[in-house]
Amino acid sequence: MFNSNGFPQPTLISVNGVELEVFEAGKENFGNPIVLCHGWPAHAFCWRYQLPALATAGYHVIVPNQRGYGNSARPTDVTAYDLAHLTGDLIALLDHFGYDDAVFVGHDWGANVVWGTALLHPNRVSKLIALALPYQERGDIPWVELIENIMGPDNYMVHFNRNPGVADAILDRNRQQFLRNLYRKNEQTQAPDLGMAMINLAEAEADTGEPLMTDAELSVLDAAFEVSGFTSSINWYRNLDRNWHLLADVDPIVPHPALMIYGDRDTIPKSPNLSDFVPNVDVVSLDTGHWIQEEKPKDTTKIILDWLKQTSAS
């Protein structure tokens, strides 16, 4: 059953001590699961182009709104959003459906969770696909300190940690304007403004580039964040250093077949040593900004399907 926007009706599923809002397609393809994980500040709806194509290709497509988003649970404890909990939710979803493992696909923060799932639960991942965010080497310095050393105190990830609650309130107060300014494509290259980027977007009357979504599509996100607010999703960032400690004794190599899809105009840098940590990775770049699967949906979907077919045959 589908909503008026063509996206499936969700089901609330109790897993790992929380309820998750889960969208599915291709239930008739039971036994061939693929899990799609959104980023920040997004929604399962970001996979609207890939979901039907993957179902048609024979996959049981499982797309959760992860904890903190939409109608999924929003625990008040900040530590409830660390990598152990986020990956634990995905593993519990597999258990709910009766799957030993699955293909995992993630964009942005969702890619970080997918990389983390491969590290913390390697036997539950058959293959993985990451969009925008490559594998992040742990290194010797906790991540918030590292980012602050490189990018300065106004970097939004640093700001979220050093000034809890400040950005949350501004984004909540300017929700529609923030989402409209953030979800753009074909933006002009320009020097970054002073200050914290996400607050700037929330307070700007207009941003450069073209709208990524129609008003009807953007209203899906707007309605979701009107319900959830931004704090629970920002809490993912407030666990960066906790995640760094969680991974201290974990084997850093991801041996699974992996596909990395970059946007050539994305501000997230490409990894210079990805294959050192992900030896079985294939890398593709598209002429897009950050919102890869929404900016170039047909190209992205074809790349994903072709790679899945190729790795199944090899």
Side-chain angles (χ1 to χ4, degrees):
M1 190 170 179
F2 290 78
N3 291 320
S4 58
N5 55 36
F7 209 63
Q9 293 280 11
T11 303
L12 288 176
I13 299 176
S14 295
V15 291
N16 200 29
V18 295
E19 267 197 337
L20 296 183
E21 182 180 28
V22 179
F23 303 81
E24 289 178 79
K27 293 181 185 180
E28 67 277 9
N29 303 319
F30 183 83
N32 196 23
I34 188 166
V35 183
L36 311 183
C37 303
H38 63 77
W40 182 86
H43 186 279
F45 187 64
C46 74
W47 300 108
R48 61 196 175 279
Y49 298 110
Q50 288 71 42
L51 184 145
L54 287 165
T56 299
Y59 287 90
H60 177 195
V61 192
I62 302 165
V63 194
N65 263 334
Q66 298 178 81
R67 64 169 66 197
Y69 287 85
N71 291 313
S72 291
R74 298 183 293 277
T76 55
D77 184 356
V78 172
T79 63
Y81 299 90
D82 68 16
L83 206 53
H85 287 87
L86 297 176
T87 62
D89 290 349
L90 299 183
I91 299 309
L93 264 184
L94 293 191
D95 292 341
H96 169 82
F97 287 109
Y99 289 129
D100 292 332
D101 58 23
V103 178
F104 284 89
V105 185
H107 172 257
D108 184 76
W109 245 113
N112 197 44
V113 176
V114 167
W115 291 120
T117 304
L119 291 172
L120 295 172
H121 307 277
N123 294 334
R124 307 303 298 271
V125 178
S126 60
K127 307 173 188 177
L128 68 90
I129 300 171
L131 288 78
L133 188 76
Y135 177 96
Q136 301 297 294
E137 181 181 353
R138 182 177 178 274
D140 298 323
I141 303 173
W143 278 317
V144 175
E145 181 183 346
L146 177 68
I147 296 166
E148 187 169 20
N149 289 345
I150 297 170
M151 306 295 291
D154 282 337
N155 176 269
Y156 69 97
M157 290 180 274
V158 177
H159 191 285
F160 286 158
N161 281 277
R162 305 290 193 233
N163 304 279
V166 174
D168 317 34
I170 295 171
L171 268 56
D172 283 345
R173 189 165 61 245
N174 299 279
R175 183 188 71 252
Q176 292 180 333
Q177 188 164 278
F178 171 62
L179 292 171
R180 186 175 64 248
N181 287 339
L182 182 68
Y183 279 93
R184 314 288 289 186
K185 63 181 179 178
N186 299 325
E187 296 165 287
Q188 300 168 6
T189 302
Q190 55 187 27
D193 294 331
L194 297 175
M196 198 275 230
M198 298 304 164
I199 292 177
N200 290 346
L201 281 172
E203 294 180 334
E205 290 189 11
D207 198 44
T208 64
E210 307 160 25
L212 178 68
M213 303 182 201
T214 65
D215 289 345
E217 289 172 329
L218 194 60
S219 72
V220 175
L221 266 74
D222 181 54
F225 282 101
E226 184 177 17
V227 170
S228 68
F230 286 95
T231 295
S232 54
S233 63
I234 290 173
N235 282 342
W236 288 36
Y237 289 96
R238 295 183 175 127
N239 281 279
L240 281 170
D241 283 353
R242 185 176 173 83
N243 294 341
W244 184 85
H245 288 289
L246 280 170
L247 295 173
D249 299 318
V250 175
D251 183 348
I253 303 301
V254 175
H256 310 72
L259 173 64
M260 180 68 226
I261 305 176
Y262 291 113
D264 279 335
R265 288 182 276 118
D266 196 352
T267 56
I268 296 177
K270 297 176 181 179
S271 170
N273 60 345
L274 183 61
S275 60
D276 291 347
F277 293 92
V278 191
N280 294 311
V281 68
D282 293 306
V283 177
V284 177
S285 294
L286 286 172
D287 181 25
T288 73
H290 181 64
W291 313 107
I292 297 169
Q293 76 273 28
E294 297 176 86
E295 288 185 50
K296 296 273 189 177
K298 291 182 179 178
D299 291 342
T300 305
T301 302
K302 184 178 188 305
I303 287 167
I304 289 173
L305 288 173
D306 286 351
W307 183 81
L308 288 170
K309 186 176 180 181
Q310 167 201 324
T311 53
S312 294
S314 59

